[in-house]
Amino acid sequence: MSPAPLRPDMRVQIGRLALKNPVMVASGTFGWANEYAGLVRLDALGAVVTKGVSLEPRAGNPQPRIAETAAGLLNSIGLQNPGLEAFISQKLPFLHGLDTAVVVNILGDTPEEYARLAAALDGQAGVDALEVNISCPNVRAGGIAFGSDPGAAAEVAAAVRAATRLPVLVKLSPNVTDLVAIASRVAATGVDGLVLINTLRGMAIDVWTGRPRLGNAIGGLSGPAIKPIAVRAVFEVSRAVAVPVVGCGGITGWADAAEHMRAGAVAVQVGSATFRNPAAPVEVEEGLERFLGELGLRSCRELVGTVEV
Amino acid sequence: MSGSIQVHAELVQVEPRARQRIVCLRLFAPQVARAARPGQFVMLAPGPDGQLDPFLNRPFSIHRVPDADTLELLVAVVGRGTEGLAALPPGVRLRLLGPIGRGFDPPARGPLLLLGGGLGVAPLFFLAESLAGRPVRLLYGAATAEALVSTAGLPCRVELATDDGSAGRRGLATELLAEALSALPVAERALAYLAACGPEPMLARAAALCREAGVRAELSLEAHMACGTGACMGCARPIGGRPQRVCSEGPVFDAREVYP
């Protein structure tokens, strides 16, 4: 499968996970992919990353769960999902039929729960990799509780790594004092890649009613507003750790993806942009390919980490 | 798995529809207009492609489909997004996703009541026009006469209520509903139907009145939403004992599910 002449090779390798191109969708912004069937050429994506799956179903948080902010939005969905069993029986068959990699995002309240999820998904047809969510700002236990402590983060990563043969990505939170310290500890567990960043904790208040604009008061900020923070995180972490970094945060167009890659990301995830334009991830991939061609690069890998400081 | 498509719709016209700041956006979007059913909605970009702020698309119920190529959306100019939309010049192309969701499901025969509160009246125009020739009564409430959208030309009987009595009855549209229901012959109640859209207290009251009268009611709900495709779960809330997405399983729900 050699690339056509003059077209850059878009294939990327994230540890043991091989993707046909570096543009994935971000967990929680693309549902179970079937919501976008007919709207988006799903096979054009580098990977689909599912909404977070827990062992048991979760009902999620009270309304409102969405509040628009300047160049972005706050959300507090609360990890609503049908649980592992229903995911496997109801959601996975559709994903399995796609000609793209499927990364299942998993979340739990204890390292053991993460390990059970990882073990249960190992060997399930259609699952190509796991993304470990230790960074959700919208739930108390699990989620960010693990992601904000280097020891706890590494414990979850190691538990997942030991429980499955699947490639493992770990999605980290920017809501920490020392991201590099956490990233280094997690990378040392032998995972295949790190995903940076999840949403930033934020809040918005309706000044007329005096009430928070989210039912859960505090939520996670995403969208173009957070891109500089994400690019900085990718830059710092990719220089400090040996494992591949996947950039996520504020990507709405190909230039944002290129910026993440120049900062050090081997691949990217498009998240909130899909809410306003379902075709955004595919358009990012197409634009990125054109851009690489214009630069005369033979492979998208040649762009990674090329920022000159 | 929705039947929605994404198009670039051309803004044909922005025209005032009430003395208060309510405007009608007329959009050229043939594929969406042809597929649209009363009660469905669209997600409309708040500005041209490339504009990152405001960020999210806006949900608007389909107000009218005046011809096979055209959609009309009713917009209250209340914030950054709607102010921007109302100020756009004709000819602008805006991303539009639609038609979205489950619309109204009126019965093939029997008396039909439509209840609209405030801007919630928007989808009831499309519904009333699709039911032309049937016995339809629109009960329409707003804060003041200034906030009322003109109902001239609608093919149904219209009864108005305003909070201050500046037009129609002084009081609530649900008071009109209570009277309309009690005036229904008991034999007709099992065949009758209510479609309602508006503030939640109005919907709750309408659901209670219809339950007492034994009349089937459908409610169109509103929610903050990000995607309009069912992916983000932003609009999900407990309905009928399980989380349901207003955008995908709704926006129209059976009243007994919403208010059990």
Side-chain angles (χ1 to χ4, degrees):
Chain A
M1 209 176 88
S2 63
L6 302 176
R7 286 192 69 186
D9 181 358
M10 297 300 280
R11 293 172 299 172
V12 294
Q13 194 74 33
I14 306 168
R16 296 167 294 153
L17 175 63
L19 303 182
K20 66 168 110 178
N21 71 60
V23 183
M24 311 181 222
V25 295
S27 178
T29 63
F30 213 71
W32 314 102
N34 64 321
E35 294 88 346
Y36 285 98
L39 274 174
V40 179
R41 286 187 295 119
L42 298 170
D43 294 347
L45 299 168
V48 166
V49 185
T50 69
K51 184 152 181 59
V53 177
S54 51
L55 285 173
E56 300 300 327
R58 294 197 186 197
N61 285 335
Q63 287 286 334
R65 295 174 168 188
I66 299 284
E68 189 182 54
T69 56
L73 68 146
L74 289 164
N75 86 78
S76 68
I77 308 299
L79 301 174
Q80 180 185 334
N81 80 92
L84 176 67
E85 205 174 299
F87 166 73
I88 290 172
S89 63
Q90 294 165 26
K91 309 296 184 188
L92 192 53
F94 175 82
L95 291 160
H96 185 31
L98 299 178
D99 182 22
T100 186
V102 173
V103 180
V104 180
N105 184 286
I106 58 170
L107 59 110
D109 289 336
T110 62
E112 293 70 35
E113 283 190 19
Y114 282 94
R116 282 175 58 197
L117 284 157
L121 290 164
D122 189 339
Q124 287 290 340
V127 180
D128 296 296
L130 302 180
E131 180 181 80
V132 184
N133 184 354
I134 52 170
S135 45
C136 177
N138 291 327
V139 293
R140 227 181 301 267
I144 208 165
F146 293 115
S148 50
D149 177 78
E155 190 187 347
V156 171
V160 172
R161 186 74 182 79
T164 181
R165 294 161 296 175
L166 290 165
V168 175
L169 310 178
V170 181
K171 189 168 184 180
L172 298 181
S173 169
N175 302 295
V176 297
T177 308
D178 189 349
L179 182 56
V180 169
I182 291 173
S184 303
R185 287 286 296 275
V186 171
T189 64
V191 296
D192 295 84
L194 304 177
V195 182
L196 307 172
I197 55 177
N198 207 319
T199 56
L200 290 127
R201 298 182 76 226
M203 184 174 184
I205 298 166
D206 182 323
V207 296
W208 294 102
T209 64
R211 291 203 176 133
R213 287 172 55 207
L214 290 175
N216 206 36
I218 289 170
L221 180 65
S222 63
I226 73 165
K227 188 181 72 168
I229 297 168
V231 170
R232 182 269 303 163
V234 167
F235 174 72
E236 287 185 341
V237 170
S238 64
R239 297 201 158 205
V241 303
V243 305
V245 168
V246 177
C248 178
I251 298 175
T252 62
W254 65 264
D256 305 314
E259 191 177 352
H260 269 265
M261 292 177 78
R262 283 224 190 255
V266 300
V268 296
Q269 295 183 348
V270 179
S272 305
T274 308
F275 294 152
R276 48 186 261 126
N277 176 12
V282 174
E283 290 174 8
V284 166
E285 197 281 328
E286 291 167 347
L288 188 63
E289 194 171 330
R290 275 196 304 276
F291 172 66
L292 295 166
E294 283 175 33
L295 288 186
L297 300 184
R298 285 159 303 170
S299 159
C300 63
R301 298 183 292 280
E302 292 176 17
L303 188 67
V304 177
T306 54
V307 59
E308 293 181 40
V309 181
Chain B
M1 214 67 88
S2 67
S4 311
I5 55 165
Q6 183 174 229
V7 298
H8 278 91
E10 185 185 326
L11 183 63
V12 178
Q13 193 181 25
V14 180
E15 61 177 27
R17 278 294 164 86
R19 274 178 280 165
Q20 247 179 21
R21 296 203 69 199
I22 297 173
V23 298
C24 175
L25 302 188
R26 182 170 292 177
L27 295 151
F28 182 76
Q31 289 166 287
V32 179
R34 278 159 217 252
R37 297 289 172 268
Q40 290 187 301
F41 69 103
V42 300
M43 297 293 288
L44 181 69
D49 286 4
Q51 177 186 298
L52 295 181
D53 188 53
F55 187 67
L56 294 173
N57 297 338
R58 267 63 183 158
F60 293 110
S61 61
I62 298 170
H63 175 47
R64 294 181 66 238
V65 180
D67 61 65
D69 295 335
T70 309
L71 290 175
E72 287 187 358
L73 311 178
L74 209 53
V75 178
V77 182
V78 292
R80 290 191 310 147
T82 47
E83 273 169 23
L85 276 171
L88 287 173
V92 167
R93 283 157 52 82
L94 299 169
R95 247 184 292 101
L96 181 141
L97 180 70
I100 305 172
R102 176 185 177 275
F104 293 109
D105 180 28
R109 60 194 191 91
L112 303 164
L113 295 166
L114 315 185
L115 175 70
L119 208 66
V121 80
L124 303 180
F125 276 56
F126 188 13
L127 181 59
E129 287 175 347
S130 77
L131 296 169
R134 305 266 315 268
V136 178
R137 284 168 77 179
L138 170 64
L139 316 172
Y140 174 22
T144 64
E146 312 245 298
L148 283 170
V149 174
S150 168
T151 55
L154 271 187
C156 63
R157 184 171 149 193
V158 178
E159 292 159 56
L160 302 175
T162 51
D163 295 352
D164 63 357
S166 53
R169 162 87 60 99
R170 180 188 188 120
L172 299 173
T174 46
E175 293 164 23
L176 299 174
L177 176 65
E179 289 168 19
L181 289 171
S182 34
L184 276 180
V186 174
E188 281 188 28
R189 291 185 186 178
L191 295 171
Y193 166 85
L194 173 79
C197 184
E200 295 245 349
M202 183 198 88
L203 297 180
R205 178 77 183 130
L209 289 169
C210 285
R211 176 194 297 270
E212 283 168 30
V215 168
R216 180 165 81 94
E218 290 191 305
L219 313 177
S220 178
L221 303 186
E222 281 194 8
H224 291 266
M225 55 181 73
C227 69
T229 63
C232 77
M233 307 287 173
C235 63
R237 57 185 255 188
I239 294 173
R242 63 186 197 281
Q244 298 202 53
R245 297 164 300 185
V246 170
C247 75
S248 302
E249 281 78 46
V252 175
F253 292 93
D254 191 289
R256 290 163 303 185
E257 273 210 293
V258 181
Y259 298 105

